[in-house]
Amino acid sequence: MTGPRHYITTTIPYVNARPHLGFALELVQADTLARHLRHLRQRGGQVRLLSGTDDNSLKNVLAAEAEGVDVREFVDRNADAFAALRDPLALSLDDFIRTSSDPRHRTGVERLWRRCAETGDLYRKQYEGLYCVGCEQFYTPDELVDGRCGEHGTEPQLVAEENWFFRLSRYADRLHALITDGTLRIEPAARRNEVLALIAGGLHDFSVSRSHTRARGWGIPVPGDPEQVVYVWWDALGNYVTSLGYGTDDPAYAQWWAAGDRRIHLVGKGVVRFHAVYWPAMLLSAGLPLPTDILVHDYLTVGGRKISKSGNGTAVDPVSLAAGYGTDAVRWWLLRDVPRVGDADFTTERLIARADADFAGGLGNLVHRIVTMIHRYRGGSVPSPGTDRFPVATLLDVCREAPGRIDAALADFDFRRAADAAWDIVEEANRCIDATRPWELARAERHGNTDAAERLDAVLAALVTACRALADELRPFIPGAAEHVKRRVTPVDGTLPETEPLFARLQERR
C-alpha cells in the first residue's frame, strides 16, 4: 500500500539580484525536511521537493533597466544563479520552476485565472493606491509605518489605473474557520495568530493585474485582456500547482496536490499574508485543495539588519561561504543556530565557532577516538554487543530515542531542537567514554581480567553503534559529514578503515 505523500515547497524569490544567505536558510530547511521524510521511506512515504524563481516581477524589470541590460538576459543570468545553489548547499530538489520560461507555468496560471473568473471572483475597477515596488503590493495608509513600507522602509508610489480585482472579502469567514480548526496549519503559533488578526480586521479585495504599460510588457497577459498583465503574486503563487502540470494532463498534479497527504509551504515571515490569505482564497475560488501546512521562519540579519539583495551591505553570498568553509558548516549553522522563533544575526565568526566546536571538537574528535580504540584494543574489528550495563545502556537508550525526538521536532518545524536531539548522541557517547574509561579496561584485560574484557567489548560495540546512529540521524542535516562518519565506522574486509581526523578546524583557514 502506498504511504503518505509529502509535497514540500520553498517560496520562489525575485531575481532582481543574486541569491543571499537569507534564502539559503529556507532552502536548507526545506531540504532537511525532505531528506528526513525520505529517510523514513521504510514507512512507505513519498516526497517531492520544489523550488524555483519568480521571474515576472516589475522589480526584475527595473533592476535590468538600472543595469542597462535586456530584461531576458538579466533574468536568465540571475535565475541561473539561484538554480546553481543546488550543489553548494547539497539540495535534493526534485523540481525547479522558472515562471518566465517554463512552459508549464503560463498554461497553469491561465487555467487558474479562468477558474476564478468562472466563479465570479474577478472584476475590473478603477483604483488609486499606495504601491510598494519592493513588496509588489498596494498598502492602505494605516498599514504604513510613518508613511513608509514596514518591510522595506521606502515611501510607496501613488498609482492610479484600472485593474482586475479578486473578491478576497468573500472568503474571510471560510479562511478564519479553516485556520482555527487546523485544516490550514500555520506554524509557529504567533504567525497563525497574526493571520487570524489580519482576517478579523477585515479583508479587502486586491488587485490581481497590472497594466501592460506599467509592467513594461513583462509577464503573463491576462486571459482575454492583453492590455493587462497578471499580477506577479497571483502569477508566482500559482507555481505550487503549475509545476505539477495543473491545467494539463500531467498526472503529477493529482498525485502530489489533489490526492497528496501533506502540501507543505516553507515561507519567510514577510510573505505570510500572501501564502496564508491570498493563496488559500484563490484556491477556494478555483475549487482546489488548500495547502495543509504553512511553516514560517523569521529572518537572518547582519548587524541587526535584515539580509537583503538590495545592496545595503547585508548581503551574504552562500556560494562563497560554502566554498570557503564547506557545505556542511553552512547547513549546520543555519539548522543549529537559527531559532524557531526570532531573527538570527549572522557572522562568519559564529559559523566558524559552531563548526569548530561541533565538527572538529565534537563529532570528528568522537569518531576519531572510537575508531582509534577499536584498532588499538581490537585490531580494527568491531566486537559483538555485550551486556547493556550502565552507562552503556544509557547511551543505547539515547540512540534509540533520537529518531522519535527528531521526528517530533521537525513535525513542530523546529530544526534547532531536531539538531540538538541528534547531537545528544555525541554528548552521551563522550560521557560514556569518560565514565567507562576504556583504556583502563584494556589495561585490566591485559592483566587477565575477563570481566574487564567483556565490559570493553560492550563499551566499544555501543560506541560504534552510537557513531552509526549519528551517521543515520545526521544525514538529513549535514549529508556530507554524515557520509564521512558512516565510512569511518563501516568495516572493509572485516575491519574499520584506519582513522584520521575527519574535520579540519576552520579557524586555521583564516
Side-chain angles (χ1 to χ4, degrees):
M1 183 173 66
T2 301
R5 298 188 185 108
H6 294 83
Y7 178 44
I8 303 170
T9 71
T10 72
T11 55
I12 55 173
Y14 299 132
V15 292
N16 58 310
R18 294 178 64 82
H20 59 61
L21 190 64
F23 184 57
L25 168 65
E26 185 170 304
L27 285 169
V28 169
Q29 287 180 336
D31 179 75
T32 300
L33 184 57
R35 285 178 181 272
H36 173 72
L37 292 169
R38 292 192 192 105
H39 183 48
L40 303 179
R41 270 184 177 165
Q42 62 266 30
R43 303 179 190 177
Q46 302 175 61
V47 181
R48 183 182 179 97
L49 176 60
L50 168 74
S51 190
T53 55
D54 182 355
D55 299 354
N56 296 328
S57 166
L58 180 59
K59 290 177 69 170
N60 302 336
V61 176
L62 296 177
E65 290 178 352
E67 193 174 306
V69 299
D70 176 72
V71 177
R72 168 56 62 192
E73 175 189 345
F74 179 86
V75 165
D76 286 349
R77 184 186 70 206
N78 283 344
D80 286 345
F82 279 91
L85 291 173
R86 181 189 296 263
D87 290 339
L89 295 178
L91 304 176
S92 58
L93 294 170
D94 296 294
D95 196 3
F96 189 93
I97 188 167
R98 290 193 48 203
T99 59
S100 69
S101 59
D102 194 310
R104 297 174 295 178
H105 188 63
R106 177 167 176 170
T107 300
V109 167
E110 290 174 342
R111 176 60 177 148
L112 186 63
W113 183 279
R114 291 190 178 100
R115 286 287 295 266
C116 294
E118 291 165 2
T119 315
D121 285 333
L122 298 177
Y123 63 95
R124 284 191 70 150
K125 79 168 185 177
Q126 186 71 31
Y127 184 75
E128 180 178 284
L130 298 170
Y131 190 75
C132 172
V133 175
C135 293
E136 294 278 16
Q137 178 185 351
F138 281 103
Y139 285 104
T140 60
D142 60 353
E143 292 178 311
L144 302 175
V145 180
D146 296 328
R148 295 177 177 271
C149 166
E151 182 74 13
H152 294 92
T154 56
E155 293 184 6
Q157 304 171 358
L158 182 64
V159 174
E161 61 185 18
E162 185 174 337
N163 294 329
W164 286 91
F165 275 70
F166 175 73
R167 298 186 194 277
L168 180 65
S169 55
R170 177 179 286 181
Y171 295 96
D173 290 344
R174 289 178 67 185
L175 287 173
H176 191 280
L178 289 165
I179 294 169
T180 301
D181 71 14
T183 301
L184 176 54
R185 173 182 174 236
I186 303 172
E187 291 290 345
R191 299 301 168 202
R192 179 173 65 254
N193 294 337
E194 174 186 317
V195 172
L196 290 172
L198 176 66
I199 296 170
L203 296 182
H204 304 286
D205 297 352
F206 69 98
S207 173
V208 292
S209 74
R210 301 291 180 262
S211 71
H212 185 273
T213 301
R214 189 156 69 87
R216 312 292 207 273
W218 185 257
I220 298 175
V222 168
D225 188 355
E227 295 304 312
Q228 293 276 309
V229 171
V230 176
Y231 168 49
V232 66
W233 272 104
W234 179 287
D235 171 334
L237 288 165
N239 93 92
Y240 303 126
V241 293
T242 65
S243 62
L244 299 172
Y246 172 73
T248 73
D249 296 328
D250 191 332
Y253 170 77
Q255 178 183 2
W256 295 101
W257 193 269
D261 295 278
R262 308 302 297 181
R263 297 172 291 275
I264 304 169
H265 296 328
L266 274 74
V267 308
K269 66 179 179 180
V271 295
V272 173
R273 173 198 301 250
F274 302 101
H275 287 82
V277 179
Y278 291 11
W279 175 231
M282 291 161 57
L283 292 168
L284 289 172
S285 175
L288 304 181
L290 271 57
T292 58
D293 304 80
I294 298 175
L295 308 179
V296 186
H297 62 82
D298 286 353
Y299 289 149
L300 293 187
T301 60
V302 170
R305 294 187 298 164
K306 175 193 170 188
I307 290 180
S308 169
K309 300 193 298 284
S310 64
N312 64 357
T314 62
V316 178
D317 179 12
V319 176
S320 296
L321 273 184
Y325 302 107
T327 295
D328 287 317
V330 175
R331 287 177 65 106
W332 191 239
W333 187 85
L334 292 171
L335 295 166
R336 190 149 198 236
D337 277 32
V338 174
R340 180 172 183 257
V341 177
D343 296 342
D345 205 62
F346 172 81
T347 67
T348 303
E349 290 72 23
R350 287 173 182 157
L351 181 148
I352 290 172
R354 172 59 71 187
D356 282 353
D358 287 1
F359 290 174
L363 180 62
N365 183 57
L366 174 68
V367 174
H368 182 66
R369 291 176 74 190
I370 292 170
V371 175
T372 296
M373 288 190 290
I374 294 288
H375 276 275
R376 181 174 298 161
Y377 305 137
R378 293 296 181 261
S381 297
V382 180
S384 299
T387 304
D388 292 353
R389 289 191 286 181
F390 176 82
V392 169
T394 304
L395 173 59
L396 295 176
D397 284 344
V398 170
C399 293
R400 282 189 288 265
E401 293 165 1
R405 294 175 58 207
I406 293 170
D407 281 356
L410 292 181
D412 286 342
F413 191 52
D414 193 335
F415 293 91
R416 175 188 272 181
R417 179 157 58 93
D420 287 347
W423 211 252
D424 281 349
I425 300 175
V426 175
E427 294 175 349
E428 188 58 41
N430 279 320
R431 282 192 287 269
C432 180
I433 292 172
D434 292 341
T436 59
R437 304 178 72 82
W439 50 92
E440 292 185 357
L441 293 174
R443 187 181 307 120
E445 179 187 29
R446 288 196 297 271
H447 287 86
N449 187 325
T450 57
D451 180 66
E454 291 175 1
R455 288 205 68 198
L456 181 58
D457 279 346
V459 170
L460 295 177
L463 290 170
V464 172
T465 296
C467 289
R468 290 172 179 167
L470 279 167
D472 211 29
E473 300 305 328
L474 289 172
R475 187 175 295 115
F477 302 89
I478 43 176
E483 184 60 29
H484 287 318
V485 173
K486 180 181 178 180
R487 285 200 299 266
R488 297 298 173 86
V489 293
T490 299
V492 177
D493 296 329
T495 62
L496 298 184
E498 290 287 347
T499 186
E500 58 185 24
L502 270 72
F503 307 104
R505 290 193 173 273
L506 298 185
Q507 186 62 45
E508 296 172 1
R509 301 186 188 182
R510 292 181 66 79

